[in-house]
Amino acid sequence: MTAAERVHDVLVLGGAGVDTIVRVPELPLPYADSYMIDSGIRTRAGQTGDFVALGLAALGLRTHHVDFLGDDPEGDLVRALHSEHGITLTALPQPAGTKRAVNLVGPDGRRLSLYDTTRGHPGDRFPEAALRASAAASRHVHVTITQPGAHALPVLRETGVPLSTDLHDWDGENPYHEAFAHAADVVFLSAAALADPERTMRRIGERGRAQAVVATAGAEGAHLLADGVLTRIPPARPPAPVVDSNGAGDAFAAAFLYGRLAGEPPERCARYGAIAGAHACTVPADRAEAIGREELLRRAAAPGH
């Protein structure tokens, strides 16, 4: 099957779920018997795979998202999100229920996420035949590090379809993340927990097959390693006040992949990512909204970008 004949541009594996957003007066949150939350406590669909899929679809890419979902109200929220944004969703049954998390968001937009690890089984696996068929029908596969993505990596490697992954706040040492880092052609991660981002990025490139490694650094921009050259990507100016960093890394990944699939060089892809990530920081966490292609390209062409 040629690239032109493929049904989808990107297959997103895993990372579907719901978040409950709580805006707190400060982080870390001092102990108290109770807090009054005047901004409200809201539950909405959208974890890492959902937001990558949302960002890709907003940029005009044909996107297919596959993950396990429960037959529960949370699963219904995820299904509704995909339906609303025209994203193809294959929901595999999960008796343990849909993945959930609580995000505490400080006044400066920083967040602390609490993940419920009971919403899955160690034996969960994406069905191999369906996985091969979905990958073969896509130009690219983005694998989230949620289980059972690790077990899908050998099958995906056999298909020959290019892969990307996001290691999030990896410390550079946890062995669970290494399988993802070494299998992907494009690796995203946060520099937040890295003592030496360049050393970690170069090690990923040396030990794996990554053609591009990107370490995002929030308001400081990002680091890009491509063709052995480390480049600092400056931060993009947010188009509005920063209110929430939820989904910024996912938005960066989606815009980078948009550029890559359009044939842009890595540095241009990373600048797209910086613009999309800055946009995401201006969107309250209780809203599912991603930058569109026209707006991305307009900002990329503006002076200063």
Side-chain angles (χ1 to χ4, degrees), residues 12-285:
V12 178
L13 278 183
V18 300
D19 287 346
T20 295
I21 312 299
V22 185
R23 295 193 172 276
V24 295
E26 59 182 307
L27 284 175
L29 188 65
Y31 174 77
D33 179 72
S34 60
Y35 283 90
M36 301 297 107
I37 306 299
D38 296 334
S39 58
I41 297 174
R42 297 177 175 84
T43 297
R44 55 104 175 101
Q47 292 193 357
T48 182
D50 300 311
F51 279 133
V52 171
L54 179 68
L56 293 166
L59 292 170
L61 295 175
R62 301 165 300 170
T63 307
H64 181 197
H65 191 187
V66 177
D67 200 8
F68 291 82
L69 289 181
D71 183 13
D72 50 23
E74 290 78 14
D76 291 341
L77 288 175
V78 175
R79 294 179 182 90
L81 174 72
H82 288 70
S83 176
E84 178 183 352
H85 293 277
I87 303 167
T88 302
L89 173 67
T90 296
L92 303 171
Q94 176 51 276
T98 302
K99 289 186 287 294
R100 308 172 196 185
V102 175
N103 290 341
L104 306 183
V105 182
D108 60 356
R110 292 183 306 138
R111 63 109 190 268
L112 170 66
S113 296
L114 308 173
Y115 290 100
D116 181 349
T117 61
T118 68
R119 307 294 169 173
H121 299 295
D124 289 340
R125 300 287 187 276
F126 294 116
E128 183 173 331
L131 180 61
R132 288 183 183 277
S134 296
S138 305
R139 297 171 59 198
H140 185 92
V141 179
H142 182 78
V143 190
T144 70
I145 60 172
T146 55
Q147 203 275 340
H151 300 282
L153 292 173
V155 174
L156 293 171
R157 286 285 300 270
E158 291 175 7
T159 68
V161 179
L163 308 179
S164 60
T165 194
D166 190 337
L167 308 179
H168 297 280
D169 58 347
W170 186 38
D171 62 1
E173 302 296 336
N174 188 329
Y176 175 80
H177 299 69
E178 288 184 344
F180 294 90
H182 299 162
D185 301 276
V186 180
V187 176
F188 303 99
L189 72 162
S190 168
L194 299 178
D196 187 341
E198 180 176 356
R199 180 174 65 86
T200 299
M201 295 170 72
R202 290 196 180 279
R203 190 169 63 192
I204 290 172
E206 291 164 0
R207 298 182 180 180
R209 57 185 253 179
Q211 299 169 2
V213 182
V214 181
T216 57
E220 297 178 7
H223 311 279
L224 167 69
L225 179 66
D227 300 320
V229 177
L230 188 70
T231 304
R232 181 181 175 274
I233 304 300
R237 292 194 306 271
V242 171
V243 295
D244 201 322
S245 62
N246 278 289
D250 301 322
F252 189 112
F256 187 102
L257 294 177
Y258 163 77
R260 182 176 174 86
L261 290 172
E264 297 285 2
E267 186 171 345
R268 184 71 167 175
C269 296
R271 294 194 184 281
Y272 284 169
I275 293 168
H279 174 91
C281 289
T282 68
V283 179

